[in-house]
Amino acid sequence: METKLARIAQVAKERPGEKFTSLVHLIDVDMLLKCHHELNGNKASGIDEVTKAEYEENLLENIKMLHASLKKMAYKPQAVRRVYIPKPGSNKKRPLGIPAYEDKIVQLAVSKILSAIYEQDFLDNSYGFRPGRSCHDALRRLNNIIMTKKINWVVDADISGFFDHVDHDWMMKCLEVRIKDSKLLRIIARMLKAGIIEEGKFMWEKFLLLLKVKPLPTPKIYVSIFYGQQ
């Protein structure tokens, strides 16, 4: 798997205009097993209430069933369990999404593929949510620039509630610039539309906002939209 990802990364770097048409086959049993082993077993569980230890009790069969559902395009991510945790340096709280365990595995697998491609496009001065980089690395780089260069201004800016308002349609269009594997794109789209559970309740208004659908009169219709959405 690592060899295949390294090859994809090489192609992405050498041919910036390359559009990858065959990627989803990389998410095989071996990759799913590797992703499972890489996950932190101490993390909170999603709405499935399944922990890493519990999933391991029948690991190989579970992974094979997950792979089969992905291969048949029958895989549908479960809604994310949302909790709120304290925000450092503020009285406010920030939302934290906790996926179901199998969704964590699939998300990590997809992330490996996307990273192999897009790490080649990112600028060297970009640090957010990138493998092998952290905020501490960014601070060290900033400190070096401030101490060794002629600096007049330091601007600290943040986008309020970015992940709550990011446009999923545009996100998919950005992915389509380099990815033409329709099956992989469908899996990602399903992840984005999985929905949110807060305090045991499905957040219909937020879900419909993601789908850009006007509110409908009865929850029964919402359910039909939710399970029929591709």
Side-chain angles (χ1 to χ4, degrees):
M1 180 196 71
E2 297 297 338
T3 302
K4 293 178 180 178
L5 290 176
R7 175 57 182 161
I8 289 173
Q10 181 182 358
V11 172
K13 184 175 183 179
E14 293 176 351
R15 303 203 290 269
E18 183 75 15
K19 295 183 179 182
F20 295 86
T21 58
S22 180
L23 296 169
V24 76
H25 71 278
L26 296 173
I27 309 178
D28 56 15
V29 170
D30 289 339
M31 177 185 263
L32 294 172
L33 280 170
K34 180 176 176 58
C35 291
H36 160 75
H37 291 304
E38 289 181 7
L39 289 173
N40 187 338
N42 296 322
K43 296 293 185 178
S45 58
I47 63 171
D48 59 342
E49 299 183 345
V50 174
T51 65
K52 182 176 182 178
E54 291 171 337
Y55 196 78
E56 283 181 338
E57 293 175 3
N58 199 15
L59 178 59
L60 189 55
E61 184 175 343
N62 286 336
I63 290 294
K64 286 182 177 179
M65 290 177 62
L66 175 59
H67 176 251
S69 69
L70 286 163
K71 194 172 182 180
K72 294 185 295 184
M73 293 305 294
Y75 167 75
K76 290 188 178 181
Q78 298 186 59
V80 173
R81 181 168 73 90
R82 174 173 282 184
V83 297
Y84 291 85
I85 60 175
K87 189 174 183 180
S90 171
N91 294 326
K92 298 180 180 179
K93 291 186 177 182
R94 68 179 182 90
L96 178 67
I98 306 173
Y101 188 75
E102 284 195 332
D103 295 336
K104 293 179 182 179
I105 295 175
V106 177
Q107 286 178 14
L108 182 55
V110 171
S111 174
K112 288 178 180 293
I113 295 173
L114 296 183
S115 293
I117 298 171
Y118 288 99
E119 273 296 307
Q120 318 314 314
D121 296 340
F122 292 150
L123 298 176
D124 187 55
N125 58 5
S126 172
Y127 289 85
F129 300 97
R130 294 182 63 184
R133 298 191 176 207
S134 69
C135 58
H136 299 291
D137 297 318
L139 289 172
R140 279 192 287 269
R141 175 75 177 274
L142 180 62
N143 180 71
N144 179 63
I145 293 173
I146 292 175
M147 298 301 294
T148 61
K149 308 292 183 181
K150 293 182 178 180
I151 301 297
N152 295 321
W153 296 93
V154 175
V155 179
D156 181 11
D158 186 22
I159 301 176
S160 179
F162 173 77
F163 291 107
D164 290 330
H165 300 93
V166 63
D167 190 308
H168 290 173
D169 289 341
W170 275 107
M171 183 183 294
M172 294 303 299
K173 288 177 182 178
C174 289
L175 290 175
E176 290 168 3
V177 171
R178 301 217 68 181
I179 298 175
K180 293 301 179 183
D181 186 328
S182 61
K183 290 185 176 180
L184 181 62
L185 291 172
R186 282 176 64 190
I187 291 173
I188 296 172
R190 288 178 180 182
M191 291 177 177
L192 294 175
K193 296 174 181 176
I196 301 167
I197 296 285
E198 284 188 18
E199 298 181 348
K201 296 180 180 180
F202 193 88
M203 307 305 292
W204 292 108
E205 291 184 2
K206 294 180 180 179
F207 174 70
L208 293 174
L209 182 61
L210 292 178
L211 298 183
K212 298 183 178 178
V213 175
K214 293 182 179 180
L216 297 174
T218 66
K220 291 182 180 178
I221 301 179
Y222 295 165
V223 172
S224 69
I225 295 175
F226 175 62
Y227 287 104
Q229 182 65 35
Q230 294 298 313

